[in-house]
Amino acid sequence: MKIPPLISYLGKSIAFGLMVAALLLLFFPSLKGGALLPDLISNSREMSFSYAAHRAGPAVVNIYTRSFAGNRGEKAELRPQGLGSGVIMNQRGHVLTNYHVIADADQIIVALQDGRVYSAELVGTDKLTDLAVLYIESDNLPVIPQDPDLRPDVGDVVLAIGNPYNVGQTITQGIISATGRLGLSSMGPDSNGRQDLLQTDAAINEGNSGGALVNTNGNLVGINTAAYHLNGNQESYGISFAIPYRLAKRIMDELIANGRVIRGYLGISSVEINPIVARMMNLGDLRGLVVESLDPAGPAAKGGMQRGDVLLKINGEAISGVRAAMDRIVESRPGAQMKISVIRDGKPLELTVTIEEDLRYQNQQDATSAASAS
């Protein structure tokens, strides 16, 4: 006798249901007493970032600055000036913070989370990246966890650690909203350096500057530096910035080694070739940079580069964009020769340019470092 399809389907469904019920009773005996699955779920450990907080938090310090009231002298009085945060980067006692946290300070105080307090020595500052390195003399310092291979990406969960409004160490949570955001400079002769910032919606308030942005493992992702404000009286929530770890570490190492950051300088202002630029200039499928202007006394002009030149390669490597080209130039040592492939009036040319040191802001930084010494 043939079983009707409907009865066969219902029989299989009932058999499958009985099998699932038997498995649930086998693995969850408490269900025999009428326990509900939501009760079981509620007993599981809730998501927590305590591991990252406890791993990174001790290495984030509070920074207090004081300055002399009136002219310096025997009767001059040191008065509180500002506050911020910092990050202990190594056992030698180097603390990384923001330049604007310690700018114009006559005395810098570093307070650890375990109660230790030190007068800090200023090692060096880099105004262009808003970074400063301090030194404290101590043993058994907690050091922020660091991963040189870390590559932050949009959507990564991050924690901002600092001392907002001097209420004590506070941790806020968010995600990385964007990377490579808002360069603080361009390749132009009047620019003031460049910086690829991480954008985050983790709250960064006054006093958080110089603190740590870490991932859920507690590894340093960046140095908190700024929150975006629409105007002087109105705040824009959820738009904060941090200096990426790799850039901050490179700047710190240079400040420790040289007391200043040595940057290569080419002296051009350029625009990246996109489909619109390519169409306007009849460049076809060429990809690279178009020189908009030059410093007449800069290395590019001395090497024969002209306004309107299309830059295609640097030392034989194709130029992928303004940021990549700028990195190559800035990280080149003064005196290094660079072979630049260009197109001029439709004809290929090979130019040799000698990189010079970027001294445009060095005098300002030297004066600031001298005035800020504790």
Side-chain angles (χ1 to χ4, degrees), residues 68-98:
F68 286 103
N71 297 326
R72 299 191 186 196
E74 293 183 2
K75 296 182 179 181
E77 180 183 357
L78 277 170
R79 293 184 179 178
Q81 179 193 26
L83 70 115
S85 303
V87 181
I88 300 175
M89 297 294 291
N90 55 47
Q91 283 288 351
R92 290 177 291 166
H94 290 114
V95 178
L96 194 56
T97 186
N98 284 153

Side-chain angles (χ1 to χ4, degrees), residues 11-65:
K12 291 180 180 178
S13 299
I14 293 171
F16 178 75
L18 290 173
M19 183 179 65
V20 171
L23 289 174
L24 286 174
L25 289 174
L26 177 63
F27 290 103
F28 302 103
S30 59
L31 287 175
K32 295 178 181 179
L36 299 177
L37 282 176
D39 295 331
L40 295 175
I41 295 173
S42 65
N43 290 330
S44 64
R45 180 180 175 85
E46 296 181 359
M47 184 175 65
S48 173
F49 301 115
S50 61
Y51 172 75
H54 286 94
R55 191 168 181 236
V60 182
V61 300
N62 302 342
I63 295 179
Y64 304 91
T65 59

Side-chain angles (χ1 to χ4, degrees), residues 76-304:
E77 180 183 357
L78 277 170
R79 293 184 179 178
Q81 179 193 26
L83 70 115
S85 303
V87 181
I88 300 175
M89 297 294 291
N90 55 47
Q91 283 288 351
R92 290 177 291 166
H94 290 114
V95 178
L96 194 56
T97 186
N98 284 153
Y99 161 79
H100 74 261
V101 168
I102 53 83
D104 303 322
D106 293 305
Q107 185 180 42
I108 304 170
I109 304 297
V110 171
L112 275 64
Q113 302 307 314
D114 59 13
R116 287 181 284 176
V117 179
Y118 301 94
S119 180
E121 174 186 344
L122 181 61
V123 175
T125 65
D126 185 54
K127 187 176 181 180
L128 305 188
T129 52
D130 192 25
L131 288 170
V133 178
L134 311 176
Y135 170 76
I136 56 175
E137 188 173 355
S138 181
D139 298 322
N140 300 319
L141 291 171
V143 176
I144 194 80
Q146 299 165 55
D147 179 4
D149 298 323
L150 183 67
R151 297 292 186 274
D153 200 2
V154 174
D156 288 352
V157 175
V158 288
L159 310 175
I161 309 177
N163 180 27
Y165 305 114
N166 201 27
V167 299
Q169 188 171 94
T170 301
I171 300 175
T172 56
Q173 178 262 330
I175 64 170
I176 293 179
S177 307
T179 60
R181 191 64 104 193
L182 188 66
L184 294 183
S185 73
S186 64
M187 299 179 71
D190 296 324
S191 66
N192 59 351
R194 69 171 284 279
Q195 180 174 328
D196 292 335
L197 296 173
L198 300 173
Q199 181 182 326
T200 177
D201 63 347
I204 297 177
N205 297 299
E206 182 180 352
N208 272 110
S209 292
L213 190 72
V214 303
N215 63 14
T216 53
N217 289 321
N219 292 319
L220 185 62
V221 173
I223 301 297
N224 300 325
T225 187
Y228 177 72
H229 299 275
L230 292 174
N231 56 52
N233 300 317
Q234 184 179 5
E235 293 187 359
S236 179
Y237 298 100
I239 305 180
S240 302
F241 299 98
I243 303 163
Y245 161 70
R246 294 181 67 204
L247 173 61
K249 176 70 163 53
R250 182 169 62 82
I251 296 298
M252 181 190 75
D253 290 342
E254 284 212 44
L255 289 175
I256 293 172
N258 306 313
R260 62 189 179 92
V261 178
I262 300 175
R263 290 181 170 87
Y265 178 61
L266 186 60
I268 67 172
S269 174
S270 64
V271 61
E272 190 169 331
I273 300 175
N274 55 38
I276 296 176
V277 173
R279 179 177 297 180
M280 292 176 59
M281 300 187 65
N282 296 319
L283 297 177
D285 296 329
L286 289 178
R287 289 294 176 264
L289 307 176
V290 178
V291 177
E292 287 188 314
S293 63
L294 296 91
D295 177 356
K302 294 177 183 176

